[in-house]
Amino acid sequence: MQVYDNPKYYEIAFSFRDISKEVDFIEQVIAKESRIPVKSFLEIASGNSPHIKELCKRGYSYVGLELSKQMTEYSREIIKKSVLPAEIVEGDMIKFSLPQSVDCALLFLGSFYIKSDDELHSHLDSVANAVRSGGLYILDGAVSFYPEDIRKQSWEMVEGNVKVVTTYDPKWIDRDNKISEAKITLDVNDNGEKKKIEHLEIRRIYSINEFIKKAQETDKWEYIDSFSDFDVSKKPYDEGRNIVVLRRK
Ligand SMILES: C[S@@+](CC[C@H](N)C(=O)[O-])C[C@H]1O[C@@H](n2cnc3c(N)ncnc32)[C@H](O)[C@@H]1O
């Protein structure tokens, strides 16, 4: 059983975020750095779309790009129930296209499933084709600011009678080529019924300098700034939720 096939448990596991604060930060970065007014967002690897209601409440439209069927259906249900100006496109972040372009792209929680330079190039090209000139691409947790960024973490979240203990355990499987494999485990107690859900994620870890260089090589993106913890006054630090911002040329 895959973690992303279980949107409800995933939602509980990652519900530690202050979504309203995260959206405040996004609006502040846009006010300072976007060269275009923003009315529409694309969230890459949107999963259960945790920011969708807050963004739509503030008057934006939303497109999510998501690979998992279960997550896609889960978010589509939210859109239908709350009648939101939003849609979910099923697709792979490595190569995709949207029917309409957007004003800003977002990626949260290190959902950066890129395994090689070719995939990175293709991804940045796809996002560039989706975002209007002058718009931003804001990525949370996608690149490594410190070598120690790879570390085991575990936390517990409870909602009603459901408890989820999440363990994120990354390791290098090819250090020379900077390929890491992370095991994500959800130990669930759902009204007394115990379940273990786990899966492996493989990715190429990019340092901030490598990432900026690759983004600039595309000739479509310029590096703008880096932040931490969804706070415009905070710079990246070890163990921070570090964020990088690109702008579409
Ligand atoms: C860590 S979750 C993030 C979900 C949501 N964005 C959030 O902030 O909680 C990562 C999501 O990325 C999706 N995903 C994994 N590989 C993908 C890919 N290649 N293209 C698009 N989505 C992908 C997974 O199905 C999962 O829903």
Side-chain angles (χ1 to χ4, degrees):
M1 205 171 13
Q2 288 263 331
V3 171
Y4 303 136
D5 296 346
N6 289 273
K8 192 60 211 166
Y9 298 143
Y10 171 88
E11 187 161 272
I12 295 170
F14 291 90
S15 60
F16 53 81
R17 292 173 280 180
D18 181 342
I19 296 296
S20 169
K21 179 186 168 200
E22 295 189 6
V23 176
D24 287 347
F25 166 85
I26 289 162
E27 290 188 322
Q28 286 161 16
V29 174
I30 286 170
K32 188 156 174 271
E33 303 294 357
S34 181
R35 294 233 166 102
I36 55 171
V38 172
K39 294 197 186 84
S40 55
F41 284 99
L42 162 66
E43 180 180 359
I44 303 205
S46 51
N48 59 322
S49 309
H51 301 75
I52 194 170
K53 284 188 183 163
E54 187 63 31
L55 288 169
C56 294
K57 192 175 94 186
R58 296 190 194 198
Y60 303 104
S61 65
Y62 173 101
V63 181
L65 177 84
E66 172 56 42
L67 197 59
S68 142
K69 238 182 197 13
Q70 286 84 347
M71 285 287 194
T72 301
E73 280 166 12
Y74 189 80
S75 291
R76 284 182 180 155
E77 205 47 47
I78 296 173
I79 293 169
K80 209 165 111 190
K81 255 196 195 149
S82 303
V83 199
L84 302 175
E87 63 176 304
I88 309 296
V89 172
E90 245 184 289
D92 191 326
M93 65 192 284
I94 293 164
K95 194 171 170 50
F96 66 92
S97 60
L98 296 184
Q100 280 165 321
S101 45
V102 296
D103 303 321
C104 182
L106 306 169
L107 180 143
F108 295 104
L109 276 188
S111 309
F112 203 56
Y113 304 107
I114 301 295
K115 296 182 289 307
S116 65
D117 290 350
D118 283 350
E119 287 188 4
L120 178 61
H121 199 276
S122 168
H123 168 73
L124 289 171
D125 251 3
S126 297
V127 186
N129 290 337
V131 175
R132 292 191 183 92
S133 174
L136 303 180
Y137 183 17
I138 302 173
L139 301 97
D140 152 40
V143 302
S144 175
F145 283 81
Y146 298 90
E148 310 86 321
D149 267 359
I150 289 212
R151 63 164 68 81
K152 189 170 175 176
Q153 298 169 58
S154 188
W155 65 93
E156 178 181 310
M157 300 299 294
V158 178
E159 190 186 294
N161 291 327
V162 184
K163 183 171 96 177
V164 181
V165 178
T166 307
T167 308
Y168 180 77
D169 189 9
K171 63 173 194 240
W172 293 109
I173 53 170
D174 180 352
R175 184 94 212 213
D176 292 343
N177 292 308
K178 301 186 181 169
I179 306 293
S180 89
E181 180 185 82
K183 185 172 173 188
I184 304 181
T185 309
L186 305 185
D187 284 296
V188 178
N189 185 332
D190 187 341
N191 287 282
E193 191 191 341
K194 292 189 178 163
K195 306 173 194 185
K196 190 184 266 302
I197 302 166
E198 50 189 17
H199 82 212
L200 294 173
E201 285 180 353
I202 294 179
R203 71 182 77 204
R204 159 77 156 89
I205 303 291
Y206 284 91
S207 71
I208 181 64
N209 290 337
E210 285 175 321
F211 180 75
I212 292 171
K213 188 163 169 271
K214 292 288 171 199
Q216 285 168 344
E217 277 170 15
T218 64
D219 265 341
K220 294 178 178 169
W221 294 104
E222 55 182 325
Y223 168 71
I224 298 302
D225 209 343
S226 300
F227 303 96
S228 197
D229 298 343
F230 291 85
D231 182 339
V232 282
S233 66
K234 244 174 156 174
K235 286 293 160 197
Y237 65 98
D238 195 13
E239 295 200 49
R241 277 188 71 192
N242 296 326
I243 295 162
V244 57
V245 181
L246 303 178
R247 185 166 56 214
R248 179 77 172 93
K249 285 188 181 171

